[in-house]
């Protein structure tokens, strides 16, 4: 990740003046609670040491100008210009639409945002299931919030960023990623109830317990825009409707079997089984973490993975390999994380097992003809903030 100084210099090269400030927002890894956020359920993400920095300065006209350190053309910035009153959902594509979407969504929320220059610099891997889009949205949202003196809570800001993604970019995601990017705390996982938006910071004291987390990026690109994400969401809505509840969150896990028997379509039934059982897994993991039984979290993570593979059908051969090989070589547990169909897995393991597990996964990828996985040991970091 660039230092704030380097990002600031990038802004200067793009726009010929210094920024007014620099804001940073992290990507996230979800420990457990996958595809529960659009079912009004529970999630348990933590913020990553990967982040997006937005350097921003206001303008006194109605122009939005955006540049990115990751999008240099022939070593030069290509600056995207858009007029504030011309911003319309689904009129731009690619990374810049997440930035323009936030400006649009703030204005739609009645906030008085004027012209602005924005320079983006990020080390959140793109398409890796680690919320590069939420990091981008939240760095810009917080920057505009502070510069324009807005009075929104972090959760309201998360909603604005989600609206940018849902309506401006056009991807029907839930509220987990933006909330994680804005509200996570170092050393903790964020237990979020996506219905009430209440949060609890759950201590993740891994190191004293001799444990750690790995994030394994398969390098297989997922595209959330893919119809699969929207299809799964529709299946869940269909299940909730058939069961006569507002959302699958409303089905108590102990009554799951009786309810599932009422769903006619076998595929929709399996989708619902994943969501309802995943709700219990989140609560189980929170309970284990809060009672200091950290290693016991592992098998729950793995059970979550098999449910995603078999019932929700969003895994892929690379992700299954990580879980299978990590556990076989000594990890406490592992699972895919994020939107699926590629992206990353998270592995819980003893510090002493890091080398063996890393080597076993790399070897299995080579033997099975997959690309080289990117394996990073991570700690839980703070959510978004102003850094300069
Ligand atoms: C993506 C979405 C989230 C969530 C996850 C799956 O990351 O952005 O809202 O639905 O997939 O848990």
């Amino acid at each position: 990740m660039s230092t704030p100084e380097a990002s600031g210099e990038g802004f200067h090269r793009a726009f010929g003046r210094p920024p007014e400030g620099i804001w940073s927002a992290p990507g996230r890894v979800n420990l457990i609670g996958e595809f529960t956020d659009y079912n009004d359920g529970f999630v348990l993400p933590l913020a990553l040491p990967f982040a997006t920095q937005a350097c921003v300065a206001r303008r006194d006209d109605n122009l939005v100008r955006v540049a990115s350190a990751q999008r240099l053309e022939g070593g030069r910035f290509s600056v995207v210009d858009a007029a504030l009153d011309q911003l319309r959902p689904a009129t731009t594509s690619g990374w810049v639409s997440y930035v323009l979407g936030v400006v649009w969504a703030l204005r739609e929320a009645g906030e008085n945002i004027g012209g602005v220059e924005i320079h983006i610099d990020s080390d959140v891997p793109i398409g890796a299931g680690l919320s590069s889009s939420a990091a981008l949205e939240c760095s810009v949202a917080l920057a505009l919030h502070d510069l324009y003196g807005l009075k929104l809570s972090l959760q309201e800001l998360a909603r604005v960023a989600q609206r940018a993604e849902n309506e401006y970019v056009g991807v029907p995601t839930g509220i987990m990623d933006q909330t994680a990017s804005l509200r996570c705390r170092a050393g903790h996982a964020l237990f979020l109830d996506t219905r009430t938006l209440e949060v609890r910071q759950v201590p993740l004291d891994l190191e004293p317990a001799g444990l750690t987390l790995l994030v394994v990026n398969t390098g297989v690109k997922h595209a959330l825009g893919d119809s699969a994400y929207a299809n799964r969401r529709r299946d869940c809505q269909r299940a909730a409707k058939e069961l006569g509840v507002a959302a699958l969150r409303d089905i108590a896990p102990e009554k799951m079997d009786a309810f599932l028997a009422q769903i006619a379509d076998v595929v929709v039934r399996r989708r619902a089984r994943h969501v309802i059982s995943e709700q219990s897994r989140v609560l189980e993991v929170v309970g284990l973490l809060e009672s200091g039984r950290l290693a016991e979290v592992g098998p729950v993570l793995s059970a979550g993975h098999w449910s995603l593979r078999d019932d929700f059908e969003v895994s892929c051969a690379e992700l299954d390999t990580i879980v299978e090989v990590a556990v076989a070589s000594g990890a406490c547990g592992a699972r895919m994380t994020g939107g699926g169909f590629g992206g990353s897995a998270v592995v819980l393991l003893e510090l002493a097992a890091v080398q063996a597990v890393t080597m076993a996964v790399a070897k299995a990828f080579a033997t099975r003809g997959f690309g080289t996985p990117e394996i990073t040991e991570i700690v839980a970091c703070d959510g978004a903030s102003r850094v300069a």
Side-chain angles (χ1 to χ4, degrees), residues 28 30 33-38 173-177 224 229 338-339:
R28 62 96 192 94
N30 190 20
E34 218 65 84
F35 300 97
T36 45
D37 65 348
Y38 57 66
T173 50
I175 191 69
M176 167 169 69
D177 303 346
L224 267 188
Y229 187 89

Short mmCIF file of all heavy atoms in Angstrom, two decimals, residues 28 30 33-38 173-177 224 229 338-339, ligand 1:
data_model
loop_
_atom_site.label_atom_id
_atom_site.label_comp_id
_atom_site.label_asym_id
_atom_site.label_seq_id
_atom_site.Cartn_x
_atom_site.Cartn_y
_atom_site.Cartn_z
N ARG A 28 -12.42 -6.39 3.43
CA ARG A 28 -12.79 -7.25 4.57
C ARG A 28 -12.66 -8.72 4.17
O ARG A 28 -12.66 -9.08 3.00
CB ARG A 28 -14.22 -6.99 5.03
CG ARG A 28 -15.32 -7.28 4.00
CD ARG A 28 -15.95 -8.63 4.14
NE ARG A 28 -16.78 -8.97 2.98
CZ ARG A 28 -16.34 -9.67 1.95
NH1 ARG A 28 -15.11 -10.11 1.90
NH2 ARG A 28 -17.14 -9.93 0.92
N ASN A 30 -14.76 -12.18 5.42
CA ASN A 30 -15.88 -12.59 6.27
C ASN A 30 -15.52 -13.92 6.93
O ASN A 30 -15.20 -14.88 6.26
CB ASN A 30 -17.14 -12.73 5.41
CG ASN A 30 -18.38 -12.93 6.26
OD1 ASN A 30 -18.38 -12.60 7.45
ND2 ASN A 30 -19.44 -13.45 5.65
N GLY A 33 -20.94 -16.44 8.00
CA GLY A 33 -22.18 -15.70 7.74
C GLY A 33 -22.19 -15.28 6.29
O GLY A 33 -22.16 -14.09 5.97
N GLU A 34 -22.22 -16.30 5.40
CA GLU A 34 -22.13 -15.98 3.96
C GLU A 34 -23.51 -16.06 3.32
O GLU A 34 -24.25 -17.02 3.53
CB GLU A 34 -21.16 -16.98 3.30
CG GLU A 34 -20.30 -16.36 2.23
CD GLU A 34 -19.35 -15.30 2.78
OE1 GLU A 34 -18.26 -15.66 3.27
OE2 GLU A 34 -19.69 -14.10 2.72
N PHE A 35 -23.83 -15.04 2.55
CA PHE A 35 -25.13 -14.92 1.87
C PHE A 35 -26.28 -14.84 2.88
O PHE A 35 -27.40 -15.20 2.59
CB PHE A 35 -25.35 -16.07 0.87
CG PHE A 35 -24.28 -16.09 -0.19
CD1 PHE A 35 -23.20 -16.93 -0.07
CD2 PHE A 35 -24.33 -15.21 -1.26
CE1 PHE A 35 -22.18 -16.93 -1.01
CE2 PHE A 35 -23.32 -15.19 -2.20
CZ PHE A 35 -22.24 -16.05 -2.08
N THR A 36 -25.96 -14.39 4.07
CA THR A 36 -27.01 -14.16 5.07
C THR A 36 -27.42 -12.69 5.09
O THR A 36 -28.50 -12.37 5.57
CB THR A 36 -26.52 -14.56 6.48
OG1 THR A 36 -25.20 -14.03 6.64
CG2 THR A 36 -26.47 -16.07 6.65
N ASP A 37 -26.55 -11.80 4.56
CA ASP A 37 -26.86 -10.37 4.73
C ASP A 37 -28.10 -9.94 3.95
O ASP A 37 -28.84 -9.08 4.40
CB ASP A 37 -25.65 -9.45 4.48
CG ASP A 37 -25.13 -9.44 3.06
OD1 ASP A 37 -25.52 -10.31 2.24
OD2 ASP A 37 -24.30 -8.56 2.75
N TYR A 38 -28.35 -10.56 2.78
CA TYR A 38 -29.58 -10.19 2.08
C TYR A 38 -30.77 -11.05 2.51
O TYR A 38 -31.82 -11.02 1.89
CB TYR A 38 -29.39 -10.15 0.57
CG TYR A 38 -28.90 -11.41 -0.10
CD1 TYR A 38 -29.65 -12.57 -0.13
CD2 TYR A 38 -27.66 -11.41 -0.75
CE1 TYR A 38 -29.21 -13.70 -0.77
CE2 TYR A 38 -27.20 -12.55 -1.39
CZ TYR A 38 -27.99 -13.69 -1.40
OH TYR A 38 -27.54 -14.82 -2.04
N THR A 173 -26.04 -6.32 -4.04
CA THR A 173 -25.35 -6.85 -2.85
C THR A 173 -26.06 -6.41 -1.55
O THR A 173 -26.84 -5.46 -1.55
CB THR A 173 -23.91 -6.31 -2.80
OG1 THR A 173 -23.98 -4.90 -2.97
CG2 THR A 173 -23.07 -6.91 -3.90
N GLY A 174 -25.70 -7.08 -0.46
CA GLY A 174 -26.23 -6.73 0.85
C GLY A 174 -25.41 -5.62 1.51
O GLY A 174 -24.62 -4.94 0.85
N ILE A 175 -25.57 -5.50 2.84
CA ILE A 175 -24.97 -4.37 3.57
C ILE A 175 -23.68 -4.76 4.30
O ILE A 175 -23.02 -3.92 4.91
CB ILE A 175 -26.01 -3.78 4.56
CG1 ILE A 175 -25.57 -2.44 5.17
CG2 ILE A 175 -26.35 -4.78 5.68
CD1 ILE A 175 -25.53 -1.30 4.22
N MET A 176 -23.26 -6.05 4.22
CA MET A 176 -22.11 -6.49 5.02
C MET A 176 -20.82 -5.73 4.70
O MET A 176 -20.13 -5.24 5.60
CB MET A 176 -21.85 -7.98 4.81
CG MET A 176 -20.49 -8.43 5.36
SD MET A 176 -20.27 -10.18 5.41
CE MET A 176 -20.18 -10.61 3.68
N ASP A 177 -20.46 -5.67 3.42
CA ASP A 177 -19.12 -5.20 3.07
C ASP A 177 -18.89 -3.73 3.46
O ASP A 177 -17.85 -3.37 4.00
CB ASP A 177 -18.87 -5.38 1.56
CG ASP A 177 -19.05 -6.82 1.13
OD1 ASP A 177 -19.10 -7.71 2.02
OD2 ASP A 177 -19.15 -7.07 -0.08
N LEU A 224 -19.16 -10.36 -9.45
CA LEU A 224 -20.42 -10.31 -8.71
C LEU A 224 -21.58 -9.96 -9.63
O LEU A 224 -22.71 -10.33 -9.39
CB LEU A 224 -20.33 -9.25 -7.62
CG LEU A 224 -19.91 -9.71 -6.24
CD1 LEU A 224 -20.06 -8.58 -5.27
CD2 LEU A 224 -20.73 -10.90 -5.79
N TYR A 229 -25.17 -14.41 -8.60
CA TYR A 229 -25.42 -13.74 -7.31
C TYR A 229 -26.90 -13.36 -7.21
O TYR A 229 -27.57 -13.63 -6.22
CB TYR A 229 -24.52 -12.51 -7.17
CG TYR A 229 -24.59 -11.87 -5.80
CD1 TYR A 229 -23.76 -12.26 -4.77
CD2 TYR A 229 -25.52 -10.86 -5.55
CE1 TYR A 229 -23.84 -11.67 -3.52
CE2 TYR A 229 -25.61 -10.26 -4.31
CZ TYR A 229 -24.76 -10.66 -3.29
OH TYR A 229 -24.84 -10.07 -2.06
N GLY A 338 -16.82 -14.39 1.01
CA GLY A 338 -17.29 -13.42 0.01
C GLY A 338 -18.23 -14.05 -1.00
O GLY A 338 -18.87 -15.07 -0.72
N GLY A 339 -18.28 -13.46 -2.17
CA GLY A 339 -19.29 -13.80 -3.18
C GLY A 339 -19.14 -15.16 -3.84
O GLY A 339 -20.06 -15.67 -4.46
C1 LIG B 1 -20.68 -10.14 -1.50
C2 LIG B 1 -21.74 -9.08 -1.20
C3 LIG B 1 -22.17 -9.16 0.26
C4 LIG B 1 -22.55 -10.57 0.66
C5 LIG B 1 -21.48 -11.56 0.22
C6 LIG B 1 -21.88 -12.99 0.48
O1 LIG B 1 -19.51 -9.86 -0.81
O2 LIG B 1 -21.23 -7.79 -1.46
O3 LIG B 1 -23.24 -8.25 0.47
O4 LIG B 1 -23.81 -10.92 0.14
O5 LIG B 1 -21.16 -11.43 -1.16
O6 LIG B 1 -21.98 -13.22 1.85
#
